[in-house]
PDB file of all heavy atoms in Angstrom:
ATOM      1  N   PRO A 226      15.339   4.103 -22.751  1.00 97.00           N
ATOM      2  CA  PRO A 226      16.128   4.389 -24.076  1.00 97.00           C
ATOM      3  C   PRO A 226      15.320   5.243 -24.962  1.00 97.00           C
ATOM      4  O   PRO A 226      15.741   5.757 -25.990  1.00 97.00           O
ATOM      5  CB  PRO A 226      16.181   2.926 -24.695  1.00 97.00           C
ATOM      6  CG  PRO A 226      15.101   2.209 -24.111  1.00 97.00           C
ATOM      7  CD  PRO A 226      14.922   2.772 -22.705  1.00 97.00           C
ATOM      8  N   PHE A 227      13.984   5.548 -24.624  1.00 96.00           N
ATOM      9  CA  PHE A 227      13.176   6.513 -25.347  1.00 96.00           C
ATOM     10  C   PHE A 227      12.624   7.509 -24.388  1.00 96.00           C
ATOM     11  O   PHE A 227      11.423   7.692 -24.145  1.00 96.00           O
ATOM     12  CB  PHE A 227      11.931   5.853 -26.048  1.00 96.00           C
ATOM     13  CG  PHE A 227      12.500   4.733 -27.100  1.00 96.00           C
ATOM     14  CD1 PHE A 227      12.570   3.492 -26.647  1.00 96.00           C
ATOM     15  CD2 PHE A 227      12.765   5.068 -28.406  1.00 96.00           C
ATOM     16  CE1 PHE A 227      12.966   2.422 -27.546  1.00 96.00           C
ATOM     17  CE2 PHE A 227      13.259   4.174 -29.247  1.00 96.00           C
ATOM     18  CZ  PHE A 227      13.264   2.780 -28.829  1.00 96.00           C
ATOM     19  N   VAL A 228      13.508   8.342 -23.814  1.00 96.00           N
ATOM     20  CA  VAL A 228      13.151   9.010 -22.532  1.00 96.00           C
ATOM     21  C   VAL A 228      12.288  10.113 -22.671  1.00 96.00           C
ATOM     22  O   VAL A 228      11.504  10.448 -21.778  1.00 96.00           O
ATOM     23  CB  VAL A 228      14.563   9.501 -21.867  1.00 96.00           C
ATOM     24  CG1 VAL A 228      15.168  10.623 -22.583  1.00 96.00           C
ATOM     25  CG2 VAL A 228      14.232   9.886 -20.413  1.00 96.00           C
ATOM     26  N   GLY A 229      12.283  10.791 -23.891  1.00 93.00           N
ATOM     27  CA  GLY A 229      11.286  11.935 -24.128  1.00 93.00           C
ATOM     28  C   GLY A 229      11.481  12.978 -23.110  1.00 93.00           C
ATOM     29  O   GLY A 229      12.645  13.465 -22.928  1.00 93.00           O
ATOM     30  N   THR A 230      10.454  13.371 -22.410  1.00 94.00           N
ATOM     31  CA  THR A 230      10.564  14.451 -21.379  1.00 94.00           C
ATOM     32  C   THR A 230      10.729  13.923 -19.958  1.00 94.00           C
ATOM     33  O   THR A 230      10.660  14.498 -18.969  1.00 94.00           O
ATOM     34  CB  THR A 230       9.289  15.347 -21.335  1.00 94.00           C
ATOM     35  OG1 THR A 230       8.082  14.489 -21.209  1.00 94.00           O
ATOM     36  CG2 THR A 230       9.141  16.147 -22.680  1.00 94.00           C
ATOM     37  N   GLY A 231      10.960  12.570 -19.841  1.00 96.00           N
ATOM     38  CA  GLY A 231      11.426  12.008 -18.480  1.00 96.00           C
ATOM     39  C   GLY A 231      10.400  11.677 -17.526  1.00 96.00           C
ATOM     40  O   GLY A 231      10.767  11.473 -16.457  1.00 96.00           O
ATOM     41  N   SER A 232       9.176  11.476 -17.990  1.00 97.00           N
ATOM     42  CA  SER A 232       8.083  11.148 -17.018  1.00 97.00           C
ATOM     43  C   SER A 232       8.330   9.875 -16.291  1.00 97.00           C
ATOM     44  O   SER A 232       8.099   9.853 -15.077  1.00 97.00           O
ATOM     45  CB  SER A 232       6.745  10.996 -17.738  1.00 97.00           C
ATOM     46  OG  SER A 232       6.334  12.232 -18.247  1.00 97.00           O
ATOM     47  N   LEU A 233       9.002   8.884 -16.871  1.00 98.00           N
ATOM     48  CA  LEU A 233       9.203   7.569 -16.286  1.00 98.00           C
ATOM     49  C   LEU A 233      10.424   7.771 -15.269  1.00 98.00           C
ATOM     50  O   LEU A 233      10.323   7.067 -14.293  1.00 98.00           O
ATOM     51  CB  LEU A 233       9.574   6.553 -17.226  1.00 98.00           C
ATOM     52  CG  LEU A 233       8.328   6.265 -18.189  1.00 98.00           C
ATOM     53  CD1 LEU A 233       8.692   5.157 -19.305  1.00 98.00           C
ATOM     54  CD2 LEU A 233       7.055   5.789 -17.455  1.00 98.00           C
ATOM     55  N   LEU A 234      11.372   8.607 -15.649  1.00 98.00           N
ATOM     56  CA  LEU A 234      12.433   8.855 -14.686  1.00 98.00           C
ATOM     57  C   LEU A 234      11.945   9.490 -13.465  1.00 98.00           C
ATOM     58  O   LEU A 234      12.406   9.182 -12.302  1.00 98.00           O
ATOM     59  CB  LEU A 234      13.565   9.694 -15.428  1.00 98.00           C
ATOM     60  CG  LEU A 234      14.098   9.262 -16.770  1.00 98.00           C
ATOM     61  CD1 LEU A 234      15.348  10.022 -17.122  1.00 98.00           C
ATOM     62  CD2 LEU A 234      14.544   7.808 -16.592  1.00 98.00           C
ATOM     63  N   VAL A 235      11.029  10.448 -13.551  1.00 98.00           N
ATOM     64  CA  VAL A 235      10.413  11.153 -12.367  1.00 98.00           C
ATOM     65  C   VAL A 235       9.743  10.094 -11.512  1.00 98.00           C
ATOM     66  O   VAL A 235      10.030  10.188 -10.261  1.00 98.00           O
ATOM     67  CB  VAL A 235       9.411  12.208 -12.901  1.00 98.00           C
ATOM     68  CG1 VAL A 235       8.598  12.745 -11.688  1.00 98.00           C
ATOM     69  CG2 VAL A 235      10.101  13.419 -13.620  1.00 98.00           C
ATOM     70  N   ALA A 236       9.016   9.144 -11.997  1.00 98.00           N
ATOM     71  CA  ALA A 236       8.311   8.193 -11.153  1.00 98.00           C
ATOM     72  C   ALA A 236       9.355   7.236 -10.434  1.00 98.00           C
ATOM     73  O   ALA A 236       9.204   7.044  -9.261  1.00 98.00           O
ATOM     74  CB  ALA A 236       7.412   7.324 -11.946  1.00 98.00           C
ATOM     75  N   CYS A 237      10.399   6.863 -11.094  1.00 98.00           N
ATOM     76  CA  CYS A 237      11.404   5.985 -10.598  1.00 98.00           C
ATOM     77  C   CYS A 237      12.274   6.644  -9.634  1.00 98.00           C
ATOM     78  O   CYS A 237      12.632   6.039  -8.533  1.00 98.00           O
ATOM     79  CB  CYS A 237      12.276   5.380 -11.679  1.00 98.00           C
ATOM     80  SG  CYS A 237      11.453   4.284 -12.772  1.00 98.00           S
ATOM     81  N   SER A 238      12.570   7.887  -9.689  1.00 98.00           N
ATOM     82  CA  SER A 238      13.419   8.715  -8.787  1.00 98.00           C
ATOM     83  C   SER A 238      12.607   8.844  -7.427  1.00 98.00           C
ATOM     84  O   SER A 238      13.144   8.946  -6.412  1.00 98.00           O
ATOM     85  CB  SER A 238      13.870   9.939  -9.322  1.00 98.00           C
ATOM     86  OG  SER A 238      12.660  10.817  -9.540  1.00 98.00           O
ATOM     87  N   HIS A 239      11.228   8.916  -7.567  1.00 98.00           N
ATOM     88  CA  HIS A 239      10.351   9.014  -6.370  1.00 98.00           C
ATOM     89  C   HIS A 239      10.662   7.858  -5.398  1.00 98.00           C
ATOM     90  O   HIS A 239      10.617   7.937  -4.239  1.00 98.00           O
ATOM     91  CB  HIS A 239       8.911   9.032  -6.789  1.00 98.00           C
ATOM     92  CG  HIS A 239       7.994   8.974  -5.496  1.00 98.00           C
ATOM     93  ND1 HIS A 239       7.665  10.102  -4.705  1.00 98.00           N
ATOM     94  CD2 HIS A 239       7.277   8.009  -5.063  1.00 98.00           C
ATOM     95  CE1 HIS A 239       6.893   9.708  -3.819  1.00 98.00           C
ATOM     96  NE2 HIS A 239       6.663   8.428  -3.979  1.00 98.00           N
ATOM     97  N   PHE A 240      10.939   6.600  -6.010  1.00 98.00           N
ATOM     98  CA  PHE A 240      11.151   5.434  -5.233  1.00 98.00           C
ATOM     99  C   PHE A 240      12.655   5.206  -4.911  1.00 98.00           C
ATOM    100  O   PHE A 240      13.056   4.168  -4.388  1.00 98.00           O
ATOM    101  CB  PHE A 240      10.634   4.245  -6.026  1.00 98.00           C
ATOM    102  CG  PHE A 240       9.095   4.183  -6.069  1.00 98.00           C
ATOM    103  CD1 PHE A 240       8.522   4.037  -7.342  1.00 98.00           C
ATOM    104  CD2 PHE A 240       8.327   4.255  -4.960  1.00 98.00           C
ATOM    105  CE1 PHE A 240       7.117   3.964  -7.415  1.00 98.00           C
ATOM    106  CE2 PHE A 240       6.872   4.197  -5.086  1.00 98.00           C
ATOM    107  CZ  PHE A 240       6.343   4.118  -6.347  1.00 98.00           C
ATOM    108  N   GLY A 241      13.403   6.240  -5.176  1.00 98.00           N
ATOM    109  CA  GLY A 241      14.881   6.220  -4.778  1.00 98.00           C
ATOM    110  C   GLY A 241      15.799   5.604  -5.618  1.00 98.00           C
ATOM    111  O   GLY A 241      16.909   5.358  -5.281  1.00 98.00           O
ATOM    112  N   ALA A 242      15.423   5.488  -7.016  1.00 98.00           N
ATOM    113  CA  ALA A 242      16.315   5.017  -7.969  1.00 98.00           C
ATOM    114  C   ALA A 242      17.084   5.971  -8.725  1.00 98.00           C
ATOM    115  O   ALA A 242      16.582   7.178  -8.858  1.00 98.00           O
ATOM    116  CB  ALA A 242      15.471   4.169  -9.058  1.00 98.00           C
TER     117      ALA A 242
END
Side-chain angles (χ1 to χ4, degrees):
F227 301 95
V228 69
T230 57
S232 292
L233 298 177
L234 303 192
V235 168
C237 293
S238 68
H239 172 81
F240 292 125

